Amino acid sequence: MLVLLPPSEGKASSGRGAPLKPESLSLPGLTDAREAVLTELVELCAGDEVKAREVLGLSEGLRGEVAKNVELRTAGARPAGEIYTGVLYDALGLATLDTSAKRRAARSLLVFSGLWGAVRVTDRIPSYRCSMGVRLPGLGALGAHWRTPMASVLPEAAGDGLVLDLRSAAYAAAWKPKGEIAGRTASVRVLHAPTRKVVSHFNKATKGRIVRGLLTAGVDPKGPAELVTALRELGYVVEAEAPAKAGQAWALDVLMDEVH
């Protein structure tokens, strides 16, 4: 099973560890594309701060994020699972998983990123600020920048098992499963059952709990139908829509009565 996650806007500090080693990151086929984004991002943030904040969509109160990006090559690096914080990652609670579940997380979780493309939770990265929705002056829209290298690298990462897609729309733009892979991909929404609406905080927290539940239970669904069964056994109410034709992903709605 490969689980595709969005990153978090909020991130822990880099700490005092050894700096980034780009060649050590998973998915080495993304190395050149990563270097291109890293180089332009550092140069942008080392220049005109106002322009950098405008490009990155940051308020004046977040000017410290620009300064942080300037130091990306020298700042301490930590496992991505420690860098990413926020609602989904709080609910997932990687640090509190047992040893077996942590091993499963290292194998199966892939976090998408505007800067890195995608990383494993064990990859050591510095704290940064650069969402997938950013349009850099030189490279252009990052979603489009990542599409070609992702098309070459992600099919291999997906292997022949289930792909559980929990990404938000901006990050889903960087890679869309196609062909045979799409048929074993399940895209999940979390809906407030009484209103059948997506509530952002609630949606993220529930997705984090879903992933934690699957990792803790040690289940490894082979396809979307098996995933539906596994989620129901974990106590979730799931509505599943199989694709109407080949080359499309399954659509799963998880219905929750309470928003918390």
Side-chain angles (χ1 to χ4, degrees):
M1 175 174 66
L2 183 68
V3 182
L4 310 181
L5 297 174
S8 58
E9 288 295 334
K11 298 175 183 69
S13 63
S14 293
R16 299 182 179 180
L20 169 73
K21 295 181 179 179
E23 70 278 4
S24 72
L25 297 178
S26 301
L27 309 179
L30 299 179
T31 298
D32 290 347
R34 286 169 176 153
E35 180 61 31
V37 180
L38 179 61
T39 297
E40 184 170 355
L41 182 62
V42 170
E43 290 178 355
L44 170 70
C45 292
D48 185 334
E49 181 201 291
V50 174
K51 179 181 179 181
R53 284 197 287 107
E54 180 181 348
V55 170
L56 297 176
L58 301 176
S59 66
E60 185 174 358
L62 292 174
R63 61 194 307 175
E65 299 292 282
V66 175
K68 182 166 66 176
N69 283 348
V70 176
E71 308 296 331
L72 284 172
R73 294 189 185 275
T74 57
R78 297 167 60 184
E82 297 177 12
I83 290 290
Y84 294 116
T85 59
V87 176
L88 188 153
Y89 292 90
D90 286 346
L92 172 53
L94 286 169
T96 62
L97 292 172
D98 62 37
T99 301
S100 295
K102 284 180 179 177
R103 283 198 294 264
R104 287 188 283 272
R107 290 195 306 267
S108 63
L109 304 187
L110 200 60
V111 184
F112 275 61
S113 162
L115 173 53
W116 314 115
V119 292
R120 304 282 186 184
V121 292
T122 51
D123 285 332
R124 298 181 65 84
I125 59 173
S127 186
Y128 67 96
R129 190 63 173 254
C130 183
S131 70
M132 190 66 79
V134 164
R135 179 182 292 273
L136 291 175
L139 292 176
L142 290 180
H145 170 74
W146 286 113
R147 227 164 271 148
T148 297
M150 288 282 191
S152 299
V153 172
L154 266 292
E156 181 178 354
D160 58 4
L162 168 73
V163 177
L164 173 54
D165 192 351
L166 302 177
R167 298 172 297 168
S168 55
Y171 291 90
W175 181 62
K176 182 179 179 181
K178 295 181 179 179
E180 183 270 335
I181 297 176
R184 48 187 167 86
T185 297
S187 179
V188 175
R189 296 188 307 174
V190 178
L191 302 180
H192 180 219
T195 63
R196 298 194 70 84
K197 292 182 178 179
V198 175
V199 180
S200 179
H201 180 285
F202 170 63
N203 172 60
K204 294 174 183 177
T206 303
K207 286 180 176 178
R209 287 191 282 268
I210 285 172
V211 176
R212 182 182 179 88
L214 292 170
L215 294 173
T216 301
V219 295
D220 188 15
K222 301 305 179 186
E226 292 86 348
L227 173 64
V228 172
T229 298
L231 292 177
R232 288 172 177 165
E233 289 177 350
L234 289 172
Y236 291 99
V237 177
V238 182
E239 293 180 352
E241 182 179 342
K245 58 183 180 180
Q248 294 181 336
W250 285 55
L252 272 56
D253 286 340
V254 175
L255 305 179
M256 304 290 289
D257 289 330
E258 296 182 5
V259 176
H260 58 86

